Amino acid sequence: MAMNNEVTKAESELAETSVAENKLKVGEVAAASGAVVSAGGIAAGIAGACATGGCAIMSAGSFVGGSAAAGPVVMAGAPAYLGAKAINHYAFKDEITLEPEEAQAREAARKATNIGALVGVGATAAITVSNGFRTAAVMTKLAAIGGMLGGSAVTGGVMLALIPIATAGIVGAGVYYAKKKLTQPAPLAAA
């Protein structure tokens, strides 16, 4: 009977520790994403200074020799890169003191975060050109997206730039938790 109580107590402590670590990890991902979102808001404010509201978005495409359709994708690239770097640094940082299972889960999460950011940039591209490649079509799409928040095409561009950050965080956290669940030891069977 005493052995059974000890096993139950150990399982309970393990579950409490696991829940606390998971809550901390979600908080770290949210904090890292929040910092990058704030930086994106500042960039949007600067871009919003353009008289027509869309000239900054459209001219961004010219950096890669593209058209208006490339503008929002180019503008999403920097937040995607910075967001993935921040999430990986703050939430999935590699440390010498980690248990092997935790280190493996974080390594997988870092890779997944980077892939998630790329997928987010791809989603931004698909959404941007869903009406066509012409400037008017892209601006109409951005204005419609921005209008959901009562904003303009610039607001739509910022919303599209946030897609890769959100995707990176969600994919990274999902892989982290899946890997943790797969590497957890099986619970002891009650006798």
Side-chain angles (χ1 to χ4, degrees):
M1 189 66 141
M3 180 66 162
N4 193 18
N5 287 340
E6 289 176 17
V7 169
T8 304
K9 183 179 177 183
E11 287 176 347
S12 176
E13 289 174 0
L14 178 64
E16 288 174 11
T17 302
S18 183
V19 168
E21 288 174 355
N22 288 343
K23 286 181 181 176
L24 177 64
K25 192 60 62 187
V26 169
E28 290 172 348
V29 170
S33 298
V36 176
V37 168
S38 296
I42 292 168
I46 294 168
C50 184
T52 63
C55 66
I57 295 169
M58 298 304 112
S59 64
S62 66
F63 286 130
V64 293
S67 65
V73 177
V74 170
M75 290 182 76
Y81 175 78
L82 294 174
K85 291 294 271 184
I87 291 167
N88 285 339
H89 178 73
Y90 291 108
F92 306 123
K93 188 174 187 174
D94 190 20
E95 298 171 7
I96 295 172
T97 59
L98 295 174
E99 295 290 326
E101 295 84 15
E102 178 70 15
Q104 290 173 356
R106 288 187 183 193
E107 181 181 2
R110 285 192 300 273
K111 290 176 183 175
T113 300
N114 293 336
I115 292 168
L118 287 173
V119 169
V121 170
T124 299
I127 292 169
T128 300
V129 298
S130 62
N131 283 355
F133 290 92
R134 294 172 299 131
T135 302
V138 171
M139 289 303 294
T140 301
K141 176 60 82 172
L142 293 176
I145 293 169
M148 289 189 277
L149 292 179
S152 64
V154 173
T155 307
V158 171
M159 289 175 64
L160 286 179
L162 297 178
I163 289 173
I165 299 169
T167 307
I170 291 167
V171 171
V175 167
Y176 173 81
Y177 291 121
K179 187 78 168 170
K180 289 282 285 186
K181 189 163 184 87
L182 290 174
T183 58
Q184 276 184 346
L188 299 173

